[in-house]
Amino acid sequence: MSKFQAIIFDMDGLLVDSETVWEHAEVALVEARGRRFDKSMREQVMGMRMDEFFPKLRQLFDLEDSVETLYAELVGNMLTLIPEQATPMPGAAELLAYVVEEQIPCAIASGSPAEIIECVVTSRGWAEVFPLRISADTVARGKPAPDVFLETARQLGVPAAGCLVLEDSPNGARAALAAGMTCYAVADPRHIRPEAFVGITDTVFDSLHEVLAALR
């Protein structure tokens, strides 16, 4: 049985392979404006919530469009693509089955807007697994600040020290540790280099299958 009182899941790139969908949507957004979006630039914005992501994107690529225009275009594209393309990450089904079987309280805490979270959860049939779903849009600061994780723990009724956070981005891992929680990072080499977690957390797994083995 898990030693943790609750498990808080990031969503994009951790539970579902939506980082691929986000990447396609972001590259299309940037390249439609004559810019090139490379891997090193994407690592700088992974895990950010939208109100922090778009100003950073505008800065990186010197974009003239307003944040509101970019937001509407990107989120609209994502809501269309998610049901078709955002598939569960390897090991997600097994890990969620374990969480349900062991009756471990769990929640999603994501930098994505609430409508994106709801689209993923609904399309995957996870509403009963994750009765609590928190968007960083609802707190003062997004990741790497700890706010979304602290609010999630508060609503779960579990102390921060009793929470395990599963994250796939350095910004998310920083947020979890700043909240005083344990963080297991899962590095998908298609989107993030494992060495990106150096100096943040030493607990880095290749997949959710490995996370499940560690919990057992």
Side-chain angles (χ1 to χ4, degrees), residues 18-202:
S18 50
E19 284 298 346
T20 299
V21 187
W22 278 109
E23 185 171 4
H24 289 165
E26 291 162 9
V27 168
L29 187 79
V30 169
E31 292 188 349
R33 291 157 173 82
R35 311 295 200 272
R36 182 173 176 273
F37 199 6
D38 65 29
K39 195 178 188 74
S40 65
M41 288 178 168
R42 188 157 197 278
E43 287 182 2
Q44 295 183 51
V45 296
M46 276 185 72
M48 285 185 170
R49 70 180 186 182
M50 295 288 97
D51 66 330
E52 295 162 332
F53 167 83
F54 284 113
K56 182 69 173 179
L57 198 71
R58 293 181 77 224
Q59 176 191 344
L60 283 172
F61 299 101
D62 193 26
L63 301 178
E64 296 180 358
D65 301 80
S66 69
V67 167
E68 292 76 15
T69 296
L70 296 169
Y71 180 98
E73 184 176 332
L74 185 63
V75 172
N77 289 342
M78 286 297 295
L79 293 176
T80 299
L81 294 172
I82 283 169
E84 302 171 357
Q85 298 185 16
T87 56
M89 293 294 285
E94 293 85 350
L95 178 55
L96 295 183
Y98 169 81
V99 167
V100 170
E101 179 183 344
E102 295 294 328
Q103 299 182 333
I104 303 169
C106 64
I108 286 175
S110 172
S112 287
E115 60 262 48
I116 297 289
I117 299 172
E118 293 307 307
C119 186
V120 169
V121 169
T122 301
S123 64
R124 298 265 57 92
W126 288 341
E128 291 186 6
V129 181
F130 295 110
L132 180 60
R133 307 182 285 274
I134 306 292
S135 168
D137 285 351
T138 63
V139 295
R141 300 171 297 169
K143 304 171 186 179
D147 301 31
V148 70
F149 291 126
L150 292 172
E151 175 60 18
T152 303
R154 186 188 71 79
Q155 292 198 34
L156 284 169
V158 175
C163 295
L164 168 66
V165 173
L166 303 182
E167 265 287 353
D168 74 308
S169 75
N171 281 329
R174 290 186 183 99
L177 294 172
M181 300 176 180
T182 300
C183 181
Y184 289 178
V186 183
D188 183 343
R190 295 172 299 168
H191 307 293
I192 194 80
R193 299 167 292 111
E195 55 266 31
F197 292 98
V198 172
I200 304 172
T201 177
D202 295 328

